[in-house]
Amino acid sequence: MNIELFKHVYFRIPILLRLLITILLVIFLFGTIIHFIEPKNFPTIFDGIWWAIVTGATVGYGDYVPLTAIGRIIGMVLILTGGGLLTFFITQFAATTVQHENDLSQGKVAYKGKEHIILVGWNERTRILMDKILKHNAKAEIVLIDQTVSQMSYQHYPIHFIHGDPTDDYFLQKANITMASKVVISADNRKGEKQADNQSILTTVAVRGNNRDIPIIVEIMTSNQIDNAIRAGANTILRPNDFMSALLYQEVFKSNAKPFETVIHLLKDQQFHHFKITEEYINQPYLEVFITLKKQHYLLLGIIRNDKWIFNPDYNLKLIQDDVLVTSISWDN
């Protein structure tokens, strides 16, 4: 029973650790035996272990040498067993390292970190997003879940890749969804807009089912699926079609301006910040609040009142309770 228990535990240990334990046991055994056989040449067990390591590794410093016939026989057995074990351990270690790197690039390795950002779907948008995140914070941890890419080298893209279906709990758990800080779900541009939205909503449901509190940002292509995405658990809905249509409208009717470049550079250098009006700003004119916030490095762009967005209002407009201030601030602040 004890032997069966030993086999049950021993053979479940990873092979590298199992080899290392075996080598240590062999070295300790031979070092102890040689100490008792030739106590004059090997005064302590530690001296015997040192000799066993040097002999098993075929280094042969010669500072400790067995002189008796039995001692030399033990030395020969050690060379044949210990040397083989060490060589096999080094070979296995190298093979395991290469295999682990291959598994990483093929998206087979589970992620063990926390406070990471999960990107769902690999396309040009997520690639640019990845670059911007790492430029803003070089230490940011990013995990990508995608089933269209079969391999992704860490040397080219410094992110942890999980190859699989993001609607499957198994792959979400491999990405350590419960410890992530945020999820960004990008629409699959290989599919039609309706199919892409259905996939994004299904992914949102799966993510929310595994983590009730994580912020989920979802890209939705068609306006009639926005409510479904919110019901599924999305916190933020991105509508690229509406955004691009507004830019195209600006480009068609622009007057000595570059709307697209203006928005891109604004988003590059500034981050938007919304917050409800505080007591000190209630009944204050818009201009006074603008100046006060500017001293705090916030640029007041407008307000949201009764779900209506008002940009660049009259400077005498009095702010009221429940107004939401729309501001921008530098990424450096």
Side-chain angles (χ1 to χ4, degrees), residues 97-153:
T97 302
V98 173
Q99 184 61 46
H100 182 73
E101 186 172 346
N102 289 334
D103 289 343
L104 273 174
S105 64
Q106 294 172 10
K108 298 179 180 179
V109 180
Y111 183 77
K112 302 298 184 182
K114 60 181 180 179
E115 295 299 320
H116 51 292
I117 300 172
I118 296 179
L119 304 182
V120 176
W122 181 247
N123 49 48
E124 185 64 12
R125 298 185 301 282
T126 50
R127 187 194 65 78
I128 294 174
L129 174 60
M130 176 199 71
D131 291 339
K132 289 184 178 295
I133 292 174
L134 293 176
K135 185 177 180 180
H136 177 68
N137 180 10
K139 296 181 179 180
E141 293 291 331
I142 302 174
V143 176
L144 170 70
I145 306 177
D146 186 87
Q147 59 183 339
T148 64
V149 180
S150 59
Q151 189 167 349
M152 183 169 293
S153 174

Side-chain angles (χ1 to χ4, degrees), residues 111 113-121 126 129 133 141-146 159-160 162 166 171-186 203 207 210-211 214-217:
Y111 183 77
K114 60 181 180 179
E115 295 299 320
H116 51 292
I117 300 172
I118 296 179
L119 304 182
V120 176
T126 50
L129 174 60
I133 292 174
E141 293 291 331
I142 302 174
V143 176
L144 170 70
I145 306 177
D146 186 87
I159 58 178
H160 189 101
I162 301 291
F171 297 107
L172 290 175
Q173 289 164 10
K174 283 188 70 173
N176 204 7
I177 185 68
T178 57
M179 301 300 292
S181 63
K182 192 166 295 185
V183 175
V184 180
I185 302 173
S186 176
T203 302
V207 170
N210 283 273
N211 191 327
I214 190 169
I216 304 176
I217 303 169

